[in-house]
Amino acid sequence: NAGVTQTPKFQVLKTGQSMTLQCAQDMNHEYMSWYRQDPGMGLRLIHYSVGAGITDQGEVPNGYNVSRSTTEDFPLRLLSAAPSQTSVYFCASSYRDSYNEQFFGPGTRLTVL
Amino acid sequence: AQRVTQPEKLLSVFKGAPVELKCNYSYSGSPELFWYVQYSRQRLQLLLRHISRESIKGFTADLNKGETSFHLKKPFAQEEDSAMYYCAVNSGYSTLTFGKGTMLLVSP
């Protein structure tokens, strides 16, 4: 199993550009989520999904869109990148039970100039 | 709303010294608490969950509902314990509310 994979590993954007961060998991997990990690802020939830076709907002959803057309994939779209979106983005997945371990991807380091 | 507080940004100890990383939470109902660890250049991984009452890599954590705390402890720190440690509480649908993290540095 590859676990949770994310692409790209690094990305530099200019203000106003759009892009999609890819996330995939091969563990048949129902739940998937996106977090951003900023220095001194910990990780904050952007969006999450409890299954194909079902998504909801987290703590910091503004400027991001998600969709979940398959169980395996959960892409995160930046509509119009802003310098405030410079961050490290982590995707995570887990089984339905809330006590279950969240499996994290390796992260995407995004810089917006 | 749930909140997790980790008061120390950095904790620096010598090898063999005891370690305690503090975590306090604010949560209505029965919390589900976790410690996650991020070693240098590695992805975040689960260290402990309170429901399991287990010891992993010599670390333990006890949920104290009266003090709303879930401190992480290890009696004798090792250099390989150096990492960023995050305390987190389940916020529904397996999403997590994280503390801001504590960097543990263990010197030889």
Side-chain angles (χ1 to χ4, degrees), chain B residues 1-3 25-32 68 89-90:
Chain B
Q2 302 90 342
R3 189 169 66 246
Y25 65 90
S26 172
Y27 188 87
S28 55
S30 296
E32 299 162 9
T68 60
V89 64
N90 183 282

mmCIF file of all heavy atoms in Angstrom, chain B residues 1-3 25-32 68 89-90:
data_model
loop_
_atom_site.group_PDB
_atom_site.id
_atom_site.type_symbol
_atom_site.label_atom_id
_atom_site.label_comp_id
_atom_site.label_asym_id
_atom_site.label_seq_id
_atom_site.Cartn_x
_atom_site.Cartn_y
_atom_site.Cartn_z
ATOM 1 N N ALA B 1 -16.679 25.754 21.237
ATOM 2 C CA ALA B 1 -15.782 25.169 20.256
ATOM 3 C C ALA B 1 -14.618 24.491 20.984
ATOM 4 O O ALA B 1 -14.218 24.889 22.067
ATOM 5 C CB ALA B 1 -15.250 26.231 19.302
ATOM 6 N N GLN B 2 -14.111 23.441 20.337
ATOM 7 C CA GLN B 2 -12.977 22.747 20.943
ATOM 8 C C GLN B 2 -11.723 23.600 20.855
ATOM 9 O O GLN B 2 -11.529 24.362 19.910
ATOM 10 C CB GLN B 2 -12.717 21.414 20.214
ATOM 11 C CG GLN B 2 -13.887 20.478 20.200
ATOM 12 C CD GLN B 2 -14.773 20.704 18.990
ATOM 13 O OE1 GLN B 2 -14.716 21.742 18.356
ATOM 14 N NE2 GLN B 2 -15.605 19.725 18.699
ATOM 15 N N ARG B 3 -10.898 23.462 21.850
ATOM 16 C CA ARG B 3 -9.623 24.165 21.850
ATOM 17 C C ARG B 3 -8.591 23.305 22.534
ATOM 18 O O ARG B 3 -8.868 22.637 23.527
ATOM 19 C CB ARG B 3 -9.752 25.510 22.557
ATOM 20 C CG ARG B 3 -8.542 26.413 22.418
ATOM 21 C CD ARG B 3 -8.826 27.823 22.908
ATOM 22 N NE ARG B 3 -9.081 27.855 24.329
ATOM 23 C CZ ARG B 3 -10.255 28.177 24.852
ATOM 24 N NH1 ARG B 3 -11.271 28.471 24.080
ATOM 25 N NH2 ARG B 3 -10.413 28.206 26.153
ATOM 26 N N TYR B 25 -7.117 20.958 27.239
ATOM 27 C CA TYR B 25 -8.149 21.006 26.213
ATOM 28 C C TYR B 25 -9.419 21.644 26.761
ATOM 29 O O TYR B 25 -9.655 21.683 27.970
ATOM 30 C CB TYR B 25 -8.447 19.600 25.686
ATOM 31 C CG TYR B 25 -9.048 18.683 26.717
ATOM 32 C CD1 TYR B 25 -10.430 18.598 26.895
ATOM 33 C CD2 TYR B 25 -8.239 17.903 27.543
ATOM 34 C CE1 TYR B 25 -10.979 17.770 27.857
ATOM 35 C CE2 TYR B 25 -8.784 17.074 28.496
ATOM 36 C CZ TYR B 25 -10.143 17.015 28.657
ATOM 37 O OH TYR B 25 -10.682 16.195 29.617
ATOM 38 N N SER B 26 -10.213 22.121 25.839
ATOM 39 C CA SER B 26 -11.535 22.638 26.148
ATOM 40 C C SER B 26 -12.493 21.910 25.226
ATOM 41 O O SER B 26 -12.373 22.003 23.999
ATOM 42 C CB SER B 26 -11.587 24.139 25.903
ATOM 43 O OG SER B 26 -12.907 24.618 26.019
ATOM 44 N N TYR B 27 -13.416 21.165 25.816
ATOM 45 C CA TYR B 27 -14.292 20.326 25.000
ATOM 46 C C TYR B 27 -15.544 20.002 25.788
ATOM 47 O O TYR B 27 -15.462 19.644 26.961
ATOM 48 C CB TYR B 27 -13.559 19.031 24.623
ATOM 49 C CG TYR B 27 -14.287 18.150 23.628
ATOM 50 C CD1 TYR B 27 -14.125 18.344 22.269
ATOM 51 C CD2 TYR B 27 -15.116 17.118 24.058
ATOM 52 C CE1 TYR B 27 -14.777 17.530 21.351
ATOM 53 C CE2 TYR B 27 -15.772 16.311 23.149
ATOM 54 C CZ TYR B 27 -15.595 16.525 21.795
ATOM 55 O OH TYR B 27 -16.236 15.728 20.881
ATOM 56 N N SER B 28 -16.677 20.112 25.149
ATOM 57 C CA SER B 28 -17.934 19.747 25.809
ATOM 58 C C SER B 28 -18.248 18.302 25.472
ATOM 59 O O SER B 28 -18.205 17.911 24.309
ATOM 60 C CB SER B 28 -19.066 20.659 25.348
ATOM 61 O OG SER B 28 -19.171 20.626 23.948
ATOM 62 N N GLY B 29 -18.513 17.512 26.478
ATOM 63 C CA GLY B 29 -18.781 16.101 26.245
ATOM 64 C C GLY B 29 -17.561 15.264 26.579
ATOM 65 O O GLY B 29 -16.671 15.679 27.318
ATOM 66 N N SER B 30 -17.509 14.067 26.038
ATOM 67 C CA SER B 30 -16.386 13.161 26.302
ATOM 68 C C SER B 30 -15.343 13.324 25.206
ATOM 69 O O SER B 30 -15.602 12.973 24.060
ATOM 70 C CB SER B 30 -16.889 11.727 26.351
ATOM 71 O OG SER B 30 -17.782 11.546 27.418
ATOM 72 N N PRO B 31 -14.179 13.853 25.546
ATOM 73 C CA PRO B 31 -13.168 14.104 24.508
ATOM 74 C C PRO B 31 -12.458 12.837 24.066
ATOM 75 O O PRO B 31 -12.322 11.899 24.840
ATOM 76 C CB PRO B 31 -12.206 15.055 25.208
ATOM 77 C CG PRO B 31 -12.278 14.636 26.644
ATOM 78 C CD PRO B 31 -13.709 14.215 26.884
ATOM 79 N N GLU B 32 -12.039 12.848 22.833
ATOM 80 C CA GLU B 32 -11.181 11.785 22.303
ATOM 81 C C GLU B 32 -9.843 12.449 21.962
ATOM 82 O O GLU B 32 -9.772 13.273 21.058
ATOM 83 C CB GLU B 32 -11.805 11.162 21.057
ATOM 84 C CG GLU B 32 -13.156 10.519 21.345
ATOM 85 C CD GLU B 32 -13.977 10.288 20.098
ATOM 86 O OE1 GLU B 32 -13.451 10.464 18.980
ATOM 87 O OE2 GLU B 32 -15.172 9.940 20.248
ATOM 88 N N THR B 68 -8.721 18.827 32.865
ATOM 89 C CA THR B 68 -8.813 18.900 31.388
ATOM 90 C C THR B 68 -7.426 18.892 30.777
ATOM 91 O O THR B 68 -7.048 19.782 29.990
ATOM 92 C CB THR B 68 -9.621 20.118 30.906
ATOM 93 O OG1 THR B 68 -8.994 21.326 31.373
ATOM 94 C CG2 THR B 68 -11.046 20.065 31.407
ATOM 95 N N VAL B 89 -7.597 16.898 19.590
ATOM 96 C CA VAL B 89 -8.871 16.353 20.055
ATOM 97 C C VAL B 89 -9.762 16.109 18.851
ATOM 98 O O VAL B 89 -9.766 16.897 17.895
ATOM 99 C CB VAL B 89 -9.550 17.308 21.072
ATOM 100 C CG1 VAL B 89 -9.917 18.644 20.434
ATOM 101 C CG2 VAL B 89 -10.776 16.667 21.701
ATOM 102 N N ASN B 90 -10.489 15.007 18.894
ATOM 103 C CA ASN B 90 -11.391 14.700 17.795
ATOM 104 C C ASN B 90 -12.520 15.734 17.753
ATOM 105 O O ASN B 90 -13.138 16.017 18.777
ATOM 106 C CB ASN B 90 -11.979 13.302 17.968
ATOM 107 C CG ASN B 90 -12.858 12.925 16.798
ATOM 108 O OD1 ASN B 90 -13.995 13.356 16.695
ATOM 109 N ND2 ASN B 90 -12.316 12.125 15.905
#
